[in-house]
């Protein structure tokens, strides 16, 4: 039977040892659940067994329910029943927690009569991150065991805690001093020897006063008013006070099942798998090894270069920060120092850690300082001639095998690579601003980039705690190319009748933290203006703002007005007049535009561009595009990313609206892209492509 492979049962000296072997993370698949029920039965029925120990092989204890089973018809035994079977064993059952006990994994441990953990174990209820609540007794057993307030905090925060913290809370009974398994067996034996009946978490009486729970619940609801999982977790824990355990379990299950079907949870589960899939580099020959990186160099100590140098220092990698003059270098290093100072003042960075990180950053003038680096990241001005000059120089300076990366936002990585005699070592490493904060790293694969260089960039990205996504060469790669499609529409909406605050409100209403115009004011309007002037392009509203000296926050006014020392964007009647004048000049009769139309006008052209990006092979999977938007542009995770969002609406609807926009505006680029049309005609979604790619 399948479960005999994933759950191994043996008896030695009266102790039934149950070992879960379900790599990679011992998720509670149907076979594991069945194996646990079978083990409970055997241990109960075997008179030679005095106690049972549940352990797991590998780095994790149990990472939780098998998320791949969610959304499919449940296969019995369901997890709450499997856990009840363990809890009902009339002999002591001890959980030996060697690694992560998460979600259903912690719930299994809570169903045992005692818990002993290795010092490195981590315990938590991360269901909230998947838009869920614990669904196998976590909301009923944990509050009774450690108190409702502490339990509610854990399940609404979702982050795991370490063994020491779990012990302090009373979540586990002991931390193993030496080897875990012998310690767990010894404890099981001791419990069996004592006359006491097995201690069930459901009978624990540490719930704590209801007033404290209600105060915590009110505070949480205030902070997370728009998160249905938080409300559901509160409701479920509240049941501990009002109804018997079994009824509480039923209420928990009902809420869990309801949330499973919620589009938010579907999106968050999609994101979980998209993030993991994006870490797998497409078309990489098996056995490709990343090159070791022990020393890095960053060229240009400006906005991006300083932030990128911080990323290396934060990861403990020595980095040389290179500038053209001592003055530019000094101000770059000073900016890095003051960014760290903010963290020290906030208490998120210890002064010693600040000193250690600064010590890893060595400032140097001149490119020769890049000679020892295993990886060089260029972050000089966005000018092709300059970048080619820098790469040609690096070709003579850098050691053989060094990976040479450019942080260019838009430029042709192949043209930059061609300035060297080693294009196989050249690629893009596109960080996002602020580089020390934003998680996304677009790794741009050039036509000649070698598999090893690519693997090196991806691996170093993970070491820098970034989310690396491999993309191909095109203007703006994945993120900025789609952003450009949105920006064009945002400008048009202004000319047709909306004001910046209308557009931004529609987009924050959709779930973004910031609208496109507040974002432009933050980034500065002058750079785009200069590029447009150089390339003969226009954007009537943005150009008019720049001509009026409105460059955004840096000049105290842009699309909005800013009070000195205050970053709050305030609508400005002068901007409204300026926009109305542009509409009049272009002969456009302004009209009210509803928030729903604004959202469609901004998001659907991005999806269309995403379809082109997929068709051209610039991104390998729709999920990669979604990961780019989630981690580079703060796309709301519960909407899963633009491509998932398109699927959730239905591609036929998206295509029809795009066709209508194209007809209204006469802009053929808005017509649904061929891939979008093909999928829509077949009634399929982008997810079909994801499956094909995998
Ligand atoms: N179900 C199915 N697959 C899972 C899984 C799960 N719960 N957790 C991880 N995996 C898979 C990943 O998709 C990945 O697969 P891949 O190799 O094919 O891409 C593989 O396991 C390894 O995962 P990671 O790359 O994330 O490995 P790490 O070592 O970096 O992290 C981990 C390990 C900390 C356990 C992390 O995987 C994790 O956080 N997992 C999810 C934990 C979770 O959310 N648990 C709650 C589930 S919901 C639940 O339990 C409901 C219950 O209350 C009823
Ligand atoms: P910046 O103007 O702040 O900094 C550029 C720095 O490069 C300056 O300090 C300059 O002195 C230095 N520099 C110029 N030539 C040099 C040379 N030959 N050797 C050493 N240093 C030299 O520019 P920023 O914003 O940091 O951008 C740098 C690169 O990063 C550009 O390619 C840009 O497109 C890209 N980028 C910018 C983002 C942003 O939001 N600012 C986001 C992502 C990428």
């Amino acid at each position: 039977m399948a479960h005999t492979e994933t759950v191994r049962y043996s008896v030695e000296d009266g102790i039934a040892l149950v070992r879960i072997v379900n790599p990679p993370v011992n998720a509670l698949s149907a076979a594991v659940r069945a194996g646990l029920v079978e083990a409970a039965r055997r241990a109960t029925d075997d008179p030679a067994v005095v106690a049972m120990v549940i352990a797991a092989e590998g780095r994790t204890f149990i990472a939780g329910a098998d998320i791949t089973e969610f959304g499919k018809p449940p296969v019995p035994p369901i997890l709450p029943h499997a856990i009840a079977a363990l809890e009902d064993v009339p002999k002591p059952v001890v959980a030996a927690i060697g690694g992560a006990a998460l979600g259903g994994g912690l719930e299994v441990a809570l169903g045992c009569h005692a818990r002993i953990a290795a010092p490195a174990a981590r315990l938590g209820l991360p269901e909230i991150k998947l838009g869920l609540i614990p669904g196998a007794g976590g909301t009923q057993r944990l509050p009774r065991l450690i108190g409702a307030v502490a339990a509610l905090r854990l399940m609404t925060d979702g982050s795991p805690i370490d063994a020491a913290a779990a012990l302090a809370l009373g979540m586990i009974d002991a931390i193993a001093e030496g080897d875990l398994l012998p310690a767990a067996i010894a404890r099981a034996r001791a419990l069996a020897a004592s006359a006491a009946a097995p201690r069930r978490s459901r009978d624990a009486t540490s719930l704590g006063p209801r007033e404290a729970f209600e105060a915590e619940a009110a505070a949480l609801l205030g902070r997370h008013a728009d998160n249905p999982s938080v409300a559901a977790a509160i409701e479920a824990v509240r049941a501990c006070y009002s109804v018997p355990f079994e009824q509480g379990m039923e209420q928990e299950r009902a809420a869990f099942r309801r949330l499973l079907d919620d589009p938010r949870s579907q999106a968050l589960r999609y994101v979980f798998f998209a993030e993991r899939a994006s870490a797998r580099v497409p078309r990489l020959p098996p056995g490709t090894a990343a090159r070791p990186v022990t020393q890095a160099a960053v060229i240009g100590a400006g906005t991006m270069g300083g932030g990128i140098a911080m990323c290396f220092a934060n990861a403990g990698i020595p980095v040389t920060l290179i500038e053209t003059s001592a003055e530019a270098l000094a101000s770059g290093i000073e900016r890095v120092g003051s960014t760290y100072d903010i963290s020290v003042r906030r208490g998120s960075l210890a002064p010693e850690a600040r000193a250690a990180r600064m010590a890893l950053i060595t400032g140097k003038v001149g490119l020769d300082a890049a000679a020892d680096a295993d990886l060089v990241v260029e972050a000089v001005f966005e000018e092709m001639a300059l970048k080619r000059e820098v790469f040609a120089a690096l070709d003579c300076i850098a050691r053989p095998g060094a990976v040479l990366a450019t942080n260019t936002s838009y430029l042709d990585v192949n043209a930059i690579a061609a300035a060297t005699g080693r294009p196989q070592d050249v690629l893009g490493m596109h960080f996002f601003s602020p580089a020390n904060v934003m998680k996304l790293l677009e790794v741009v694969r050039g036509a000649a980039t070698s598999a090893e260089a690519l693997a090196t960039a991806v691996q170093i990205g993970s070491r820098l705690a970034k989310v690396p996504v491999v993309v191909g060469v095109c203007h703006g790669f994945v993120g900025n190319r789609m952003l450009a499609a949105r920006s064009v529409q945002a400008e048009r909406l202004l000319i047709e009748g909306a004001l910046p605050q209308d557009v931004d409100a529609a987009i924050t209403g959709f779930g973004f933290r910031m609208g496109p115009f507040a974002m432009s004011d933050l980034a500065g309007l002058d750079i785009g203006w200069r590029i447009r002037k150089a390339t003969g392009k226009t954007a009537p509203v943005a150009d008019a703002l720049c001509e009026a000296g409105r460059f955004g926050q840096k000049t105290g006014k842009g699309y909005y007005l800013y009070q000195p020392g205050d970053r709050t964007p305030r609508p400005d009647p002068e901007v409204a007049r300026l926009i109305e004048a542009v509409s009049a000049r272009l002969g456009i009769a302004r009209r009210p535009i509803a928030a729903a139309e604004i959202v469609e006008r901004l998001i659907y052209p991005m999806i269309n561009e995403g379809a082109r990006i997929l068709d051209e092979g610039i991104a390998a999977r729709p999920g990669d595009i979604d990961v780019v938007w989630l981690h580079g542009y703060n796309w709301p995770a519960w909407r899963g990313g633009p491509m998932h969002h398109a699927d959730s609406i239905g591609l036929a609807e998206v295509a029809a609206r795009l066709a209508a926009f194209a007809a209204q505006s006469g802009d053929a680029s808005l017509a649904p892209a061929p891939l979008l049309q093909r999928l829509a005609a077949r009634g399929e979604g982008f997810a079909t492509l994801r499956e094909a790619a995998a």
Side-chain angles (χ1 to χ4, degrees):
M1 267 182 343
H3 64 256
T4 53
E5 291 156 20
T6 56
V7 179
R8 296 184 188 159
Y9 181 92
S10 60
V11 180
E12 206 171 304
D13 263 353
I15 302 294
L17 178 59
V18 177
R19 283 187 357 185
I20 299 167
V21 190
N22 188 24
V25 294
N26 298 320
L28 293 156
S29 62
V32 174
R33 299 193 301 270
L36 289 176
V37 171
E38 171 78 358
R41 189 193 59 75
R42 287 173 76 174
T44 303
D45 291 351
D46 185 348
V49 168
V50 298
M52 181 156 86
V53 168
I54 298 188
E57 305 248 305
R59 282 189 301 124
T60 55
F61 174 64
I62 302 172
D66 185 338
I67 307 171
T68 60
E69 289 183 0
F70 289 174
K72 299 176 188 159
V75 178
I78 60 169
L79 189 56
H81 294 169
I83 293 173
L86 294 175
E87 195 174 48
D88 289 343
V89 171
K91 306 165 188 180
V93 180
V94 176
I97 305 170
L102 303 175
L106 180 58
E107 291 172 303
V108 166
L110 292 171
C112 297
H113 306 129
R115 286 154 292 281
I116 178 160
R122 298 186 65 75
L123 303 93
L125 293 170
E127 287 88 343
I128 196 106
K129 296 187 178 173
L130 300 171
L132 299 169
I133 60 167
T139 69
Q140 302 305 300
R141 289 192 180 89
L142 192 60
R144 287 174 162 87
L145 192 65
I146 68 165
V149 169
L152 187 59
R153 281 187 190 150
L154 271 171
M155 67 186 79
T156 51
D157 177 78
S159 302
I161 57 173
D162 62 21
L167 182 65
L169 282 175
M171 203 197 269
I172 57 173
D173 302 284
I175 296 177
E177 298 291 335
D179 286 347
L180 176 64
L181 204 54
I185 290 170
R187 181 157 286 253
R189 223 176 267 294
L191 287 171
S194 80
R199 203 181 37 154
R200 305 185 307 176
S201 307
R202 70 159 81 176
D203 301 327
T205 52
S206 300
L207 203 50
R210 178 143 188 186
E211 300 71 43
F213 162 74
E214 292 298 347
E216 180 68 19
L220 280 164
L221 279 178
R223 285 202 301 278
H224 305 281
D226 55 354
N227 189 337
S229 313
V230 170
I234 290 169
E235 264 317 298
V237 175
R238 188 174 280 132
C240 296
Y241 288 99
S242 51
V243 298
F245 176 80
E246 291 298 350
Q247 208 176 326
M249 287 293 288
E250 278 166 29
Q251 290 184 11
E252 175 199 80
R253 191 74 192 159
F256 177 77
R257 294 220 61 84
R258 176 171 51 77
L259 289 167
L260 263 186
D261 293 335
D262 188 312
R264 284 179 180 246
S265 173
Q266 288 171 4
L268 289 164
R269 273 139 50 199
Y270 163 85
V271 166
F272 179 84
F273 289 112
E275 284 176 348
R276 278 153 186 84
S278 75
R280 282 191 290 274
V281 181
R283 292 183 283 119
L284 206 60
T288 304
R291 297 177 193 152
V293 174
T294 54
Q295 171 71 47
V298 174
I299 304 177
T303 310
M304 293 305 289
I308 296 168
M310 289 174 77
C311 296
F312 284 104
N314 296 349
I317 301 170
V319 55
T320 310
L321 187 55
I322 299 173
E323 260 294 344
T324 45
S325 71
E327 298 73 48
L329 186 60
S331 67
I333 301 249
E334 197 189 305
R335 259 199 312 276
V336 169
S338 43
T339 310
Y340 278 137
D341 286 341
I342 295 171
S343 304
V344 172
R345 273 202 301 278
R346 283 189 188 149
S348 58
L349 185 70
E352 309 79 58
R354 177 203 186 277
R357 292 181 191 189
M358 285 303 283
L360 285 169
I361 304 177
T362 311
K364 286 275 167 64
V365 172
L367 287 181
D368 286 343
D372 297 334
D374 306 304
L375 168 68
V376 183
V377 182
E378 165 277 312
V380 304
F381 304 127
E382 183 77 342
E383 289 165 22
M384 179 56 94
L386 176 63
K387 300 225 187 239
R388 283 180 56 91
E389 194 182 298
V390 167
F391 274 78
L394 279 176
D395 196 15
C396 306
I397 295 165
R399 57 165 208 73
V403 172
L404 309 180
T406 171
N407 182 47
T408 181
S409 308
Y410 294 96
L411 299 176
D412 181 349
V413 173
N414 293 329
I416 295 172
T420 72
R422 41 171 130 173
Q424 72 279 3
D425 294 331
V426 180
L427 42 71
M429 283 179 71
H430 184 207
F431 292 78
F432 287 70
S433 183
N436 55 314
V437 176
M438 296 304 287
K439 303 273 286 174
L440 178 63
L441 176 69
E442 281 184 331
V443 177
V444 189
R445 174 187 226 155
T449 305
S450 72
E452 289 77 21
L454 196 66
T456 308
V458 169
Q459 192 186 68
I460 202 80
S462 301
R463 271 176 77 193
L464 302 186
K466 300 291 170 198
V467 180
V469 179
V470 174
V471 302
V473 176
C474 67
H475 187 73
F477 317 115
V478 169
N480 283 344
R481 177 167 160 184
M482 287 168 70
L483 183 68
R486 187 179 86 172
S487 305
V488 168
Q489 295 305 315
E491 163 94 17
R492 280 196 198 157
L493 284 164
L494 296 184
I495 299 172
E496 286 174 32
L499 290 174
Q501 53 271 29
D502 303 328
V503 175
D504 283 357
I507 283 298
T508 50
F510 178 79
F512 276 89
R513 269 185 264 151
M514 216 186 229
F517 294 118
M519 177 84 119
S520 296
D521 274 358
L522 180 65
L525 275 57
D526 49 328
I527 305 162
W529 185 41
R530 242 181 287 133
I531 295 174
R532 282 195 300 280
K533 281 204 286 197
T535 53
K537 294 196 176 128
T538 58
V541 175
D543 292 349
L545 287 170
C546 288
E547 276 150 27
R550 307 185 69 114
F551 291 167
Q553 285 192 18
K554 61 174 109 167
T555 54
K557 51 188 184 169
Y559 287 100
Y560 297 97
L561 199 59
Y562 299 86
Q563 313 284 339
D566 183 357
R567 289 161 169 261
T568 315
R570 294 167 207 278
D572 185 351
E574 196 190 310
V575 171
R577 279 195 293 278
L578 186 145
I579 293 173
E580 281 155 15
V582 171
S583 305
R585 178 159 56 80
L586 297 172
I588 289 165
R590 294 177 63 77
R591 64 181 173 95
I593 308 178
E597 181 182 342
I598 292 176
V599 169
E600 289 182 351
R601 282 278 299 278
L602 294 181
I603 306 279
Y604 290 5
M606 287 174 50
I607 294 165
N608 211 21
E609 203 57 44
R612 291 190 190 103
I613 283 169
L614 282 173
D615 224 3
E616 292 166 24
I618 298 296
R621 298 165 279 240
D624 290 3
I625 297 180
D626 287 332
V627 171
V628 163
W629 272 82
L630 287 158
H631 292 292
Y633 303 85
N634 289 322
W635 177 284
W638 57 271
R639 288 207 192 258
M643 310 317 272
H644 175 84
H645 180 60
D647 280 357
S648 70
I649 294 164
L651 296 192
E653 161 75 7
V654 174
R657 296 295 291 146
L658 281 164
F661 297 154
Q664 271 161 27
S665 65
D667 178 352
S669 74
L670 286 176
L675 175 65
L676 182 54
Q677 272 176 347
R678 279 202 305 279
L679 291 171
R682 294 204 295 259
E684 292 178 352
F686 290 115
T688 334
L689 299 173
R690 179 176 53 129
E691 279 152 25

